[in-house]
Amino acid sequence: EDQVTQSPEALRLQEGESSSLNCSYTVSGLRGLFWYRQDPGKGPEFLFTLYSAGEEKEKERLKATLTKKESFLHITAPKPEDSATYLCAVKAGQAGTALIFGKGTTLSVSS
Amino acid sequence: DTAVSQTPKYLVTQMGNDKSIKCEQNLGHDTMYWYKQDSKKFLKIMFSYNNKELIINETVPNRFSPKSPDKAHLNLHINSLELGDSAVYFCASSQGLGVGTEAFFGQGTRLTVV
């Protein structure tokens, strides 16, 4: 069964303290790995798509990387406004499948 | 201009009632989804429609019935509501069924069954 596991469940950082979130996956035929950000009371907001091992993408203080078994979301010098739940999701198997989500990492950044 | 909009945002109802949640997207996408987020924040696919045709129907009770009158709308009707149906329901849309088609989500409908 396709599975996505995120760690840690919760992460508290001081402003400016860089760290990484992990997403490990067990799927048959990865077709894409997605990162989303979700703020309380809102829907997930798309951040990145990664397709193959070795790929990296950046957006402001966020950088996503992908290996054959996991993805990392690196947060450099975070600010309080980066506080949110970060969700990892995969598409696997045949075309037309929906996203399979992990349970998310809730990030809190204090000033 | 909201890309994916759901109504209502909050829904409180009694057990046994029938209720509907509406979803509309103005992105011109041809694929729409319903996801359920439980109390532990876990998002799980329920249904997917492509060009008004049902593509994905996960193991969801028959009390849940999606309806897509056109490509821009996907409504969710729930019969005989149960306490366990309490959750946040998200509508989403994407362009096509391909790999790189990221989904755009609505703001969610928080359903509380009492």
Side-chain angles (χ1 to χ4, degrees), chain B residues 4 15 25 28-29 36-39 43 52 67-70 73 81 83 85-86 88 90 95 100 104-105 108-109 114:
Chain B
V4 181
M15 275 197 309
Q25 54 94 4
H29 290 166
K36 179 180 179 179
Q37 189 169 45
D38 61 25
S39 57
L43 261 172
K52 302 196 298 175
K67 283 193 169 45
S68 181
D70 56 57
H73 295 84
L81 278 155
L83 291 175
D85 297 331
S86 296
V88 182
F90 287 98
Q95 183 53 43
F104 293 83
F105 286 78
T109 295
V114 297

Side-chain angles (χ1 to χ4, degrees), chain A residues 31-32 34 36 38 41-46 49 51 87 91 95-103, chain B residues 9 33 35 37 40-43 45 48 55-56 90 97-107:
Chain A
R31 297 174 66 83
F34 301 74
Y36 282 81
Q38 186 174 23
K42 296 194 175 180
E45 177 187 344
F46 172 75
T49 309
Y51 296 103
L87 299 167
K91 274 192 183 181
T97 56
L99 294 167
I100 301 169
F101 281 89
K103 294 186 178 181
Chain B
K9 188 171 170 63
Y33 312 83
Y35 283 84
Q37 189 169 45
K40 296 183 178 179
K41 308 287 188 181
F42 187 46
L43 261 172
I45 183 70
S48 166
I55 301 295
I56 296 172
F90 287 98
L97 299 170
V99 175
T101 53
E102 65 269 18
F104 293 83
F105 286 78
Q107 83 279 18

Side-chain angles (χ1 to χ4, degrees), chain A residues 61-77:
Chain A
R61 295 176 292 282
L62 300 177
K63 179 180 176 180
T65 62
L66 182 65
T67 71
K68 287 187 178 180
K69 292 185 178 180
E70 58 192 349
S71 176
F72 292 94
L73 185 65
H74 307 277
I75 304 176
T76 303

